[in-house]
Amino acid sequence: MDSELAAASQWATESNAAVFIRLISGETESGVVQAMDSEEGDEENEEGEGADVIEFHPEFTYPIYGEHERIFGYKGLSINLNYAAGSLATYFNIKYTKRIEQMESTSAVALKADDIDTPMRQILADSVCATQSEFAQQVVRDTRVFRPSGRKVHEYAGRSSQTEQLRYEIYSSSFNDTESAKYHERMQAFVLFFIEGAQFIDTSDERWHVYTVFERLDMNGQTSYSLVGFSTVYNFYCWPDRKRARISQFLVLPPFQGQGHGSALYSYIHAMVLGSSDYADLSVEDPSEAFDDMRDRNDMRYLLKHNAFAHIKGACVEQSAISELQHKHKLSRRQMTRCIEMALLKMIKSVKSQEFGEFRLFVKRRIYAQNMDLLQALDPDERKQKVAESFASVVDGYRRVLSLL
């Protein structure tokens, strides 16, 4: 039995590594087909003549294939999600070299391969292309004629050369627009692949707004688009007659990360909130550590540029002063407090100074107030240790952010 179990384990595949996501653009159908038929990891065949391919893997597949993120019953498995780079027209196919039912076995235990197709199709839009040929035709067409839905609200520069120029465009849309709703249906699978714990949003709720970022390539008189990232924003009611914008999902696709696109998108959303009297402030739902870092950098740059901390001279910052800054710059109270703490740390020359001692007390009081229920359950010595550890972690994080400004 042990030998049979060992043999069976050889048929297990990590689903994150088995799923290949491709963004494809192309001028010829044959080039698109050649790119799709290339072997993963073969750099010479990664792009067909007349086609451009960006390939990457998901960070998470547990919403599709279970919490262990393993698929049983295949060898040489590749699960291919092919997208037209701009329109996200989709073609899904599965390849493998061997399947366990195809092997002769004398085992008393029945071995059955997992269903790969059904769970994946459940998260994809209904408009998946039926054949590779149909998809290749759609890619060539969309490379020439696809234009983003919604309203263009911002544009910023990318790299350029003698033959091509890259620009990036941000579009605003809602689900009242049919084309935008259809586009979101194709795009939403990415949140499951790259945002831990994410779920699809209720597109029947008119209070949702979607912001998409596209790369625009102008080359030889032709313009084509590729999706870079997106954010969903929910508008809450704020008494008596305003809205409170909350960023819910925020994603820059892996090939475009580390290039400033997240900062450009976040800064636009904040600027939109600042520029409208309809909005009271901007908050974020359950931000990741990476998002918090990006947000902190951008908020601090904005606040320093606008001399927001000019009247803060020491750690004895009144709650009324925090509220005034929060309302003026339309940040959540938690975020405004963090930024004030970073500004105070930036002003301190030495950890041995009286100013640092006052700063430490100011931050520890905030940590204690935010975690009071948990801390009160501890004995005094352990409580003191936990607060000290939290303070050290907070300071390390602030110093990292300040070093990047």
Side-chain angles (χ1 to χ4, degrees), residues 171-241:
Y171 287 78
S172 169
S173 63
S174 71
F175 298 127
N176 291 327
D177 177 63
T178 302
E179 286 304 311
S180 296
K182 289 180 179 178
Y183 191 83
H184 183 266
E185 185 181 2
R186 298 191 292 274
M187 182 174 67
Q188 65 182 350
F190 290 127
V191 305
L192 302 183
F193 292 134
F194 297 106
I195 302 177
E196 189 166 11
Q199 297 179 336
F200 291 165
I201 62 176
D202 179 9
T203 57
S204 67
D205 191 332
E206 296 181 354
R207 287 174 291 184
W208 283 107
H209 227 78
V210 182
Y211 297 91
T212 45
V213 183
F214 288 89
E215 179 184 82
R216 188 188 81 207
L217 172 62
D218 298 313
M219 184 170 62
N220 300 327
Q222 180 174 304
T223 298
S224 62
Y225 286 86
S226 180
L227 179 67
V228 170
F230 61 94
S231 179
T232 56
V233 177
Y234 193 78
N235 292 320
F236 285 93
Y237 169 72
C238 181
W239 188 87
D241 58 357

Side-chain angles (χ1 to χ4, degrees), residues 29-219:
E29 293 178 28
S30 60
V32 172
V33 171
Q34 179 185 345
M36 293 168 64
D37 287 341
S38 67
E39 293 295 326
E40 291 75 18
D42 187 342
E43 295 182 0
E44 293 183 0
N45 294 325
E46 194 171 85
E47 297 185 1
E49 184 178 351
D52 293 317
V53 181
I54 300 175
E55 183 178 273
F56 50 102
H57 296 280
E59 292 184 25
F60 311 107
T61 50
Y62 63 83
I64 302 100
Y65 295 120
E67 62 178 333
H68 297 297
E69 297 182 322
R70 295 182 74 80
I71 297 170
F72 178 76
Y74 304 85
K75 289 185 178 180
L77 177 64
S78 62
I79 303 167
N80 304 302
L81 287 172
N82 303 287
Y83 289 97
S87 71
L88 299 186
T90 311
Y91 175 61
F92 165 53
N93 71 326
I94 301 165
K95 296 180 180 179
Y96 50 85
T97 56
K98 291 181 181 179
R99 178 170 164 149
I100 202 164
E101 288 98 325
Q102 297 170 344
M103 304 295 292
E104 293 183 4
S105 175
T106 58
S107 172
V109 179
L111 299 177
K112 183 180 180 181
D114 290 337
D115 179 5
I116 302 173
D117 186 271
T118 303
M120 185 63 78
R121 289 190 184 277
Q122 287 175 347
I123 70 160
L124 299 177
D126 294 334
S127 56
V128 174
C129 294
T131 66
Q132 186 183 67
S133 175
E134 177 189 350
F135 175 72
Q137 292 174 19
Q138 189 72 43
V139 169
V140 172
R141 177 184 177 277
D142 289 348
T143 299
R144 294 195 307 267
V145 305
F146 169 77
R147 297 296 180 266
S149 60
R151 177 173 61 94
K152 187 171 85 168
V153 292
H154 185 60
E155 180 175 337
Y156 57 100
R159 71 177 188 273
S160 61
S161 67
Q162 291 183 346
T163 58
E164 65 179 38
Q165 181 178 11
L166 286 177
R167 301 287 295 179
Y168 295 92
E169 300 177 351
I170 300 177
Y171 287 78
S172 169
S173 63
S174 71
F175 298 127
N176 291 327
D177 177 63
T178 302
E179 286 304 311
S180 296
K182 289 180 179 178
Y183 191 83
H184 183 266
E185 185 181 2
R186 298 191 292 274
M187 182 174 67
Q188 65 182 350
F190 290 127
V191 305
L192 302 183
F193 292 134
F194 297 106
I195 302 177
E196 189 166 11
Q199 297 179 336
F200 291 165
I201 62 176
D202 179 9
T203 57
S204 67
D205 191 332
E206 296 181 354
R207 287 174 291 184
W208 283 107
H209 227 78
V210 182
Y211 297 91
T212 45
V213 183
F214 288 89
E215 179 184 82
R216 188 188 81 207
L217 172 62
D218 298 313
M219 184 170 62

Side-chain angles (χ1 to χ4, degrees), residues 278-401:
D278 292 337
Y279 286 100
D281 61 29
L282 174 66
S283 61
V284 181
E285 177 185 356
D286 193 21
S288 67
E289 184 176 335
F291 183 91
D292 264 340
D293 268 7
M294 181 274 294
R295 180 191 187 191
D296 287 345
R297 292 196 305 272
N298 283 279
D299 287 344
M300 285 299 292
R301 288 184 184 122
Y302 162 81
L303 292 166
L304 290 168
K305 179 180 178 181
H306 290 83
N307 297 316
F309 310 115
H311 300 295
I312 294 178
K313 303 301 182 182
C316 297
V317 183
E318 298 291 338
Q319 293 301 308
S320 59
I322 298 175
S323 295
E324 183 181 347
L325 288 171
Q326 173 198 351
H327 295 143
K328 180 179 179 179
H329 300 290
K330 295 188 177 182
L331 297 173
S332 68
R333 190 171 189 84
R334 171 189 178 275
Q335 182 63 6
M336 192 70 248
T337 302
R338 283 173 56 82
C339 290
I340 288 173
E341 291 174 357
M342 279 186 270
L344 290 171
L345 182 61
K346 187 174 185 294
M347 299 173 191
I348 295 171
K349 304 301 182 183
S350 170
V351 295
K352 297 180 180 180
S353 66
Q354 179 181 342
E355 289 83 0
F356 187 79
E358 293 172 351
F359 167 76
R360 179 170 57 236
L361 183 59
F362 180 76
V363 175
K364 283 186 174 182
R365 282 174 175 167
R366 191 264 302 167
I367 291 171
Y368 187 86
Q370 288 183 346
N371 301 277
M372 185 179 297
D373 291 341
L374 291 174
L375 291 171
Q376 285 185 337
L378 305 176
D379 63 61
D381 288 341
E382 189 175 4
R383 186 187 310 153
K384 187 175 181 179
Q385 180 183 350
K386 290 293 183 184
V387 172
E389 290 172 354
S390 295
F391 172 77
S393 177
V394 165
V395 170
D396 286 345
Y398 287 171
R399 283 179 172 149
R400 183 180 67 253
V401 171

